[in-house]
Amino acid sequence: MSISITEKEPQGIGYDIFMSRYAYPGETKWKERAKAIAKHISSAEPDDKKSLTEQKYYDSIRSMDFIPGGRIIFGAGRNNYNLLNCYVINPEDTVESIGKLISDMYRISCAGGGVGFNFSNIRPKGDDIQNIKNSAPGSVSVMKMINEIGDHVRAGKNRRTALMGILNVTHPDLMEFLDVKLDQGQLNNFNISVAITDRFIEAVENDEDWYFWYNNRKYFGYSVVANKGTDKEFVTQITALDEDDALGRANLHHKKEFTDEFTSVTLNPCKARAIWDYIYSNSIESGDPGIFNISLTNSFTNVSYFEDMPATNPCGEIPLPSYGNCCLGHVNLANMVSDDGLVDWKRLARTVRTGVRFLDDVLTVNTFPIPECREVGHKSRRIGLGITGLHYFLIKAGYKYGDESCLEFLERTFQTIRDEAYKASVSLSREKGPFPAFDYKKFLKEDFAKTLPPRIRTQIKKFGIRNAVMLTVAPTGTISMVAGVSTGIEPIFAPVYKRRYRHANVWREQVVVDALFESHVLAGKDLTPFVGAYDVTLEEHIKVQATIQKYVDSALSKTCNLPAEATYEDVKDMILEYAPYVKGFTIYRAGSKGNEPLEAIPVRDKEHAMELVAQSKTPLSPDLNEDSEMELVDMNCNTGVCEI
């Protein structure tokens, strides 16, 4: 069985996004952009292969079987342009390092790259600086500086900066880090995550005391009382080295008024379980933080023998070393299954192979924003081949998102993607050589490489491998809308929903019917597989992520949507159960970031569905302008500020 390859063009809001965010001046069609992309990227190939490779790239992109990352779509054909979405910078605790960090972040952001940071090397707030007691401003202060710069960055058709801030669960600034994002007026350019470890998970499960560490020094929790015995008495919690240190930090950094005086200190040990509960009470309230499993990230990989990965890109799907970067592209799974539910496995394999070669060529032709990024990028030749349209793929194949048969189907699908990607990279290594840091003995001892079939491991030993790491799942928010499919591995928001948009300072409403759902309604097909993000249980969300993670050498961007009435009691234990099996995790409770533009509409039956389809055809205001429509698109991305 084969599905015919046809040209596809964005429709409706997808076309608006394409024209406003990606099209080169004078372009009006996707195939024109596809031609420019194919020509630019295939220039990395030797002369005798350029023409054939360009045609393969063009066929795959114009049909939307393969969709490059947003920076590639926008930048291909432009002179000296950065084509990569993802970067990480890991600051050290020096003035010089922080100054360079700010400069490098600005240059990368202006080039259209999102940047992730782990701030755990920055000395805690209240530590000494040389002989000045308790004077260090701390890691959150550095975050605020970077966030301020991000407020002024615009790149590539007004794309705002995308940042990820990570702090290790052992860092003494952890509680301030958790509190700061609750104020939704602060750090608005950042997603934030706590880097947890296997040891922390064990401590939570055993309800152990938890201590903080920095520079081989142990920090304790203290309760410090100000203005004791007066009507202005209050208590603050301090992480410090000892009682005297706690008093010094409190008096310098925690006064509410100039006349306040802290005089009483009590040791107040912190429980690991209390930290876990606080992480998820905050996450329920504000959507932040996520968790970043730094232990699994640095063990279940192929690069631990030459890289340490302290942070991820802004959406969490690419763990990276300092100055590491990744180029993204996506296999459109919705194209891999016919309307009759038959999967074209050969087409999937072919698209994966094309995607690996394409992204490796991107690394060759890319203009890196700073030299360090080029050096680190070429050392591993890391790429990020992911997927989009997963829920459409499942629906068309007849599977319900998250149930047992779905998980078994995902096992086969992502094993196929993994194996075809690794075979393609081995083939590239035979042509062009392995990545510079390749050592087959060390590579094949890595935990992820051990999961590969023996036939592929044997080929790696014999021929090497071109790309150290190559698989991921990005959120694909706007790109999926251009393609007219579901986003990343997420379920659709809802089969039918009410969309609110603002025009001329007036809020208006429109009924929107998911495109695939509408086609099933009109064709009289089964509507059972159509579930929305809030209809999927938390455990089903997590099981999908954990199942796919087994076959992905990087990480996945996944948001578990929860209804507005959810509490942290509903999530904290289940997430703890699955925490050892996923590299990152984010939840989003409806309403946690204020008013929302989308509201699901329950569908009672097929007759009601037909009525809703008819309602959705009511035209928008004829004077609706592009700005109000595109404002809605940005609000529709649950994954934060990262635009893929």
Side-chain angles (χ1 to χ4, degrees):
M1 187 276 303
S2 179
I3 305 169
S4 62
I5 297 177
T6 59
E7 290 185 0
K8 289 192 175 180
E9 290 292 333
Q11 303 294 321
I13 195 171
Y15 180 78
D16 294 338
I17 295 171
F18 168 66
M19 290 301 298
S20 66
R21 298 194 179 189
Y22 299 123
Y24 193 81
E27 292 177 346
T28 60
K29 295 185 179 299
W30 172 255
K31 67 179 182 180
E32 295 170 336
R33 188 88 294 261
K35 187 67 176 176
I37 295 168
K39 184 176 182 61
H40 185 175
I41 307 307
S42 64
S43 67
E45 295 289 331
D47 289 343
D48 61 338
K49 291 189 175 182
K50 272 193 179 72
S51 179
L52 179 61
T53 304
E54 180 182 343
Q55 187 63 45
K56 286 183 177 179
Y57 291 168
Y58 175 61
D59 288 342
S60 196
I61 297 169
R62 69 173 174 145
S63 64
M64 295 189 182
D65 281 2
F66 176 74
I67 307 174
R71 292 300 88 203
I72 300 171
I73 298 174
F74 176 80
R78 291 174 164 88
N79 291 329
N80 300 319
Y81 202 83
N82 165 55
L83 303 176
L84 309 189
N85 282 79
C86 309
Y87 295 83
V88 156
I89 308 175
N90 200 37
E92 300 297 330
D93 188 50
T94 66
V95 171
E96 293 78 12
S97 176
I98 294 171
K100 179 171 170 50
L101 168 88
I102 291 171
S103 171
D104 291 346
M105 168 264 168
Y106 181 71
R107 292 170 65 184
I108 291 170
S109 294
C110 287
V115 188
F117 312 84
N118 187 314
F119 294 95
S120 300
N121 288 334
I122 305 298
R123 75 184 69 186
K125 183 176 183 178
D127 267 22
D128 300 344
I129 298 179
Q130 296 180 349
N131 63 345
I132 305 175
K133 295 286 290 181
N134 304 127
S135 57
S139 57
V140 173
S141 176
V142 178
M143 289 184 69
K144 289 178 178 179
M145 284 193 292
I146 295 171
N147 187 75
E148 175 65 23
I149 294 168
D151 284 340
H152 304 283
V153 172
R154 290 291 184 270
K157 294 202 173 182
N158 211 33
R159 181 182 189 269
R160 65 193 183 101
T161 192
L163 306 174
M164 168 65 83
I166 292 175
L167 199 68
N168 291 355
V169 72
T170 54
H171 196 280
D173 284 346
L174 179 67
M175 303 314 289
E176 181 187 11
F177 176 76
L178 292 176
D179 285 340
V180 71
K181 200 67 190 290
L182 285 177
D183 179 354
Q184 295 193 9
Q186 297 193 66
L187 301 183
N188 288 334
N189 295 304
F190 272 100
N191 292 330
I192 69 168
S193 285
V194 177
I196 64 170
T197 61
D198 291 340
R199 178 69 192 93
F200 177 71
I201 294 172
E202 180 184 17
V204 175
E205 291 174 337
N206 296 333
D207 197 27
E208 298 176 25
D209 289 344
W210 187 253
Y211 302 99
F212 302 98
W213 293 84
Y214 181 81
N215 200 22
N216 294 318
R217 295 188 298 178
K218 191 175 184 179
Y219 292 69
F220 304 85
Y222 294 94
S223 296
V224 189
V225 182
N227 312 319
K228 190 171 184 178
T230 73
D231 59 356
K232 291 186 177 181
E233 179 178 320
F234 66 91
V235 180
T236 191
Q237 305 301 317
I238 300 289
T239 303
L241 298 166
D242 53 40
E243 290 186 2
D244 287 342
D245 185 45
L247 280 174
R249 292 170 190 262
N251 279 309
L252 190 61
H253 295 287
H254 294 273
K255 289 183 176 181
K256 295 181 180 179
E257 298 177 6
F258 180 74
T259 56
D260 290 338
E261 184 177 6
F262 291 91
T263 56
S264 178
V265 184
T266 304
L267 182 66
N268 184 20
C270 187
K271 290 285 189 181
R273 183 79 210 199
I275 293 174
W276 181 260
D277 290 354
Y278 195 54
I279 287 171
Y280 276 97
S281 64
N282 280 21
S283 190
I284 284 287
E285 183 172 345
S286 69
D288 280 303
I291 58 170
F292 169 50
N293 188 334
I294 199 168
S295 293
L296 184 65
T297 293
N298 284 281
S299 62
F300 193 59
T301 183
N302 299 324
V303 297
S304 70
Y305 70 91
F306 69 94
E307 282 184 348
D308 175 64
M309 295 175 286
T312 74
N313 71 315
C315 286
E317 77 272 14
I318 303 287
L320 292 166
S322 190
Y323 289 102
N325 41 83
C326 190
C327 55
L328 297 174
H330 321 285
V331 176
N332 181 5
L333 290 180
N335 274 16
M336 303 301 148
V337 58
S338 70
D339 291 339
D340 297 326
L342 300 176
V343 177
D344 190 338
W345 297 104
K346 290 183 178 179
R347 183 174 184 175
L348 175 60
R350 181 176 66 246
T351 304
V352 169
R353 293 193 298 268
T354 299
V356 169
R357 188 178 199 101
F358 177 94
L359 294 176
D360 185 73
D361 279 347
V362 170
L363 289 177
T364 301
V365 303
N366 185 55
T367 300
F368 290 83
I370 54 178
E372 292 91 338
C373 290
R374 179 180 178 82
E375 178 183 350
V376 174
H378 281 277
K379 185 177 182 180
S380 66
R381 295 198 71 84
R382 174 186 272 102
I383 60 174
L385 180 70
I387 59 92
T388 193
L390 175 73
H391 197 192
Y392 273 20
F393 179 63
L394 295 174
I395 291 170
K396 292 168 73 174
Y399 294 95
K400 182 178 180 294
Y401 192 98
D403 70 11
E404 191 60 31
S405 62
C406 163
L407 300 178
E408 293 173 358
F409 181 60
L410 292 177
E411 295 263 7
R412 178 181 179 184
T413 300
F414 282 88
Q415 182 176 334
T416 298
I417 292 171
R418 180 199 65 187
D419 292 354
E420 291 299 332
Y422 272 74
K423 288 189 291 185
S425 191
V426 170
S427 179
L428 279 175
S429 181
R430 296 182 68 175
E431 286 184 45
K432 302 180 179 183
F435 65 91
F438 177 71
D439 179 317
Y440 85 85
K441 291 182 179 179
K442 295 178 179 177
F443 185 92
L444 292 175
K445 288 180 180 178
E446 293 283 340
D447 282 359
F448 188 85
K450 289 177 182 177
T451 70
L452 297 172
R455 67 186 186 280
I456 296 179
R457 290 172 55 83
T458 301
Q459 292 293 298
I460 291 172
K461 180 179 178 180
K462 186 175 182 180
F463 300 112
I465 193 163
R466 180 69 168 169
N467 314 99
V469 180
M470 63 194 81
L471 298 170
T472 187
V473 177
T476 68
T478 53
I479 283 177
S480 294
M481 297 179 79
V482 170
V485 299
S486 57
T487 62
I489 61 169
E490 306 293 352
I492 61 175
F493 175 76
V496 185
Y497 56 92
K498 186 181 298 181
R499 184 169 72 181
R500 299 182 181 90
Y501 62 94
R502 188 173 61 211
H503 175 64
N505 292 321
V506 176
W507 282 99
R508 306 183 183 186
E509 294 182 347
Q510 179 197 22
V511 173
V512 179
V513 177
D514 177 85
L516 186 60
F517 181 75
E518 179 178 339
S519 69
H520 276 232
V521 170
L522 296 178
K525 293 185 177 181
D526 180 23
L527 305 181
T528 304
F530 285 89
V531 293
Y534 295 107
D535 302 317
V536 177
T537 68
L538 176 61
E539 187 168 17
E540 288 170 336
H541 275 292
I542 302 174
K543 282 182 176 180
V544 167
Q545 181 176 358
T547 297
I548 295 172
Q549 181 67 82
K550 291 189 298 182
Y551 301 98
V552 172
D553 49 21
S554 283
L556 291 75
S557 177
K558 178 79 180 77
T559 300
C560 295
N561 296 86
L562 301 173
E565 60 273 15
T567 70
Y568 80 97
E569 294 286 352
D570 299 328
V571 304
K572 61 179 183 175
D573 292 331
M574 185 174 296
I575 294 174
L576 182 65
E577 181 180 347
Y578 283 91
Y581 306 107
V582 295
K583 293 184 179 180
F585 198 84
T586 302
I587 62 173
Y588 179 79
R589 180 182 60 83
S592 61
K593 291 187 180 294
N595 293 328
E596 296 175 326
L598 306 181
E599 177 187 345
I601 299 176
V603 181
R604 296 189 299 272
D605 50 37
K606 289 186 177 181
E607 183 177 342
H608 185 219
M610 288 293 291
E611 294 173 3
L612 292 170
V613 168
Q615 288 182 39
S616 71
K617 303 306 179 184
T618 302
L620 295 172
S621 169
D623 56 350
L624 177 65
N625 61 36
E626 183 180 275
D627 290 340
S628 57
E629 180 75 0
M630 297 314 295
E631 174 188 14
L632 176 62
V633 172
D634 285 336
M635 295 170 73
N636 190 24
C637 183
N638 284 344
T639 52
V641 295
C642 185
E643 173 193 313
I644 303 300

